[in-house]
Amino acid sequence: MTAQGWLSSVTFAAQIEGGVNANPARPGNGVNYGQFIGDRANQAQLNQLTATMARAVDTGASGYDFGFVLRALYGSDARYYNLDGLTDRAIPSRYQFILPQAHIDAHLPWLTRRGLDVQAGVLGSPMGIETLDPTTRPFYSLAYTTEFATPFEHVGAMFQLHLNKHFDILFGVDTGNQTSFGGGDNNGAAAGYFGFTGTGLAGGKLAVTYLGRIGPENAVRLLGARANGAQRFWNDLDVTYQLSSKLTLTGELNVMHDAGLRADTYGFVSFLSYHLTPTLTLNYRGEIFRDNTGLVVTSFLSDTAYMRALFGKSAATQSAPATTYGALTLGATWRPETGHGVKLFEIRPEIRFDRSLNGTTPFNDLRNVGQFTFGVDMVLGF
């Protein structure tokens, strides 16, 4: 491809998302316990304003191909997806700025007939079903498994080796979850991924992805010299099955062990999506999540509390004892055709009920066994 042809394939996009998550119990601290997206009860938020410049790599190319992704994000969601040492100190208020993706990409005709794909730079975590981009997930809110048992952002490199038309090997190395280099890393050791993905199975109806991850994630401020050797082990298995042309079932099984905190979590999330019409999809999510110490599931009460806690600094937080959480979320995605320069318009209402299944009272200022929230967000893409 010529330089002119390569430049002509660079794309530009923008997207805006805002929402509100109502809580009829009106917690005194103003926070919906255990939720990151839509964490402020009864307060409308600008979740994301994003701008993206990208050149997609042809992963099926027979030769070399190169591209990149550069994405900037401003909004309330940035508080939980920041990278220490890069953007975490840029804006300390409710609405913050991050670069959730800033990486170079390459397709290399190496090792197998289908080649090797590489991404290097600032990367979103590949683990789990739900992602930061609201258009890729069925609900405004996130599952406990997503928030507390999968990483969010990395500085490093990810590799995808294409074995054949169905199976790929995945592996990578990075500085840790939401850390960078030097003073931007909360410890002095690296972490990394390994796993596989299978697509187009069972006549094209089944897709399976397993990702494991090993590396120390706790701060030296918290564990001292022990931090570099105290490994966190993440395991995440995702299975998606197309039951019919309209109905899709997805399951996520997650197990995490943190040797530094001596903590374990276990989660299972199930999703159902039914395409009622070409523009309307009905969604279900059910989850059971066990935090066996009470050290993992946490609400962060200030705008900088999450990143301060990541680095082992004092932070305004609220936690419950060891708890088994159950959560049921029902919602819909309405995505009508718009035109007039608008590439995407969607509205997603949801109703969610969370409950402690072992009698603890984590919700609404640690007063209640359960919590109802009613959320809705709107996304515009250009």
Side-chain angles (χ1 to χ4, degrees):
M1 178 181 291
T2 65
Q4 183 178 1
W6 191 92
L7 289 172
S8 68
S9 60
V10 174
T11 61
F12 301 87
Q15 186 170 284
I16 184 169
E17 179 205 13
V20 62
N21 209 8
N23 184 337
R26 298 183 177 274
N29 60 19
V31 174
N32 294 318
Y33 181 84
Q35 297 190 27
F36 289 177
I37 308 300
D39 58 344
R40 301 308 186 199
N42 309 307
Q43 297 181 39
Q45 299 191 115
L46 170 64
N47 291 94
Q48 300 182 18
L49 175 61
T50 63
T52 304
M53 180 171 64
R55 197 273 172 181
V57 169
D58 182 1
T59 59
S62 58
Y64 293 90
D65 197 21
F66 299 92
F68 69 94
V69 177
L70 178 61
R71 177 170 296 159
L73 183 153
Y74 173 79
S76 60
D77 291 356
R79 294 167 298 153
Y80 294 105
Y81 286 81
N82 238 311
L83 271 167
D84 201 277
L86 291 182
T87 55
D88 63 301
R89 296 173 182 84
I91 304 175
S93 61
R94 173 75 59 85
Y95 299 118
Q96 299 183 15
F97 171 81
I98 61 172
L99 292 172
Q101 294 193 57
H103 50 85
I104 57 173
D105 307 335
H107 174 74
L108 309 174
W110 297 353
L111 303 177
T112 71
R113 186 170 65 86
R114 295 177 180 269
L116 175 72
D117 294 332
V118 183
Q119 295 180 323
V122 177
L123 306 167
S125 168
M127 182 178 285
I129 298 294
E130 298 172 319
T131 75
L132 175 60
D133 184 349
T135 65
T136 66
R137 61 179 197 260
F139 294 101
Y140 179 40
S141 66
L142 300 175
Y144 289 95
T145 296
T146 302
E147 295 175 331
F148 300 106
T150 65
F152 284 171
E153 292 283 331
H154 303 302
V155 176
M158 281 295 300
F159 302 85
Q160 184 173 9
L161 180 64
H162 302 289
L163 298 180
N164 54 47
K165 69 177 183 178
H166 292 300
F167 290 99
D168 301 335
I169 294 176
L170 309 174
F171 56 99
V173 63
D174 56 72
T175 59
N177 182 36
Q178 297 178 257
T179 64
S180 56
F181 297 99
D185 198 349
N186 60 4
N187 57 57
Y193 286 97
F194 58 91
F196 72 91
T197 182
T199 57
L201 308 175
K205 296 182 178 181
L206 177 67
V208 179
T209 298
Y210 166 76
L211 273 174
R213 177 174 170 81
I214 300 176
E217 298 288 354
N218 294 299
V220 172
R221 281 188 180 91
L222 183 66
L223 298 183
R226 195 164 64 91
N228 288 332
Q231 304 293 321
R232 184 176 297 178
F233 302 88
W234 326 58
N235 293 275
D236 191 87
L237 176 66
D238 305 331
V239 179
T240 298
Y241 190 79
Q242 191 79 32
L243 294 168
S244 70
S245 60
K246 293 187 174 183
L247 185 62
T248 303
L249 171 66
T250 301
E252 179 177 6
L253 179 64
N254 184 287
V255 178
M256 185 181 74
H257 170 71
D258 191 303
L261 299 178
R262 297 182 177 88
D264 297 280
T265 65
Y266 312 91
F268 177 73
V269 197
S270 58
F271 299 84
L272 272 174
S273 292
Y274 182 74
H275 296 285
L276 187 64
T277 72
T279 61
L280 182 63
T281 302
L282 305 181
N283 299 308
Y284 153 92
R285 179 180 63 204
E287 180 179 24
I288 295 178
F289 186 83
R290 172 66 180 174
D291 175 7
N292 77 335
T293 60
L295 297 174
V296 177
V297 177
T298 303
S299 275
F300 299 91
L301 307 183
S302 74
D303 296 325
T304 58
Y306 179 85
M307 292 304 295
R308 289 184 62 86
L310 186 75
F311 245 66
K313 300 177 182 178
S314 61
T317 63
Q318 189 176 75
S319 300
T323 298
T324 302
Y325 296 89
L328 174 65
T329 312
L330 302 175
T333 301
W334 181 50
R335 188 178 289 183
E337 295 290 338
T338 55
H340 306 290
V342 177
K343 294 180 180 179
L344 179 143
F345 171 64
E346 69 176 27
I347 297 177
R348 298 184 301 179
E350 70 171 57
I351 179 172
R352 172 170 173 162
F353 180 62
D354 296 66
R355 182 179 176 84
S356 164
L357 302 181
N358 64 320
T360 61
T361 57
F363 302 104
N364 303 320
D365 301 311
L366 306 180
R367 293 183 289 110
N368 299 133
V369 173
Q371 171 180 272
F372 270 108
T373 54
F374 303 86
V376 62
D377 73 331
M378 182 176 69
V379 184
L380 280 172
F382 305 93

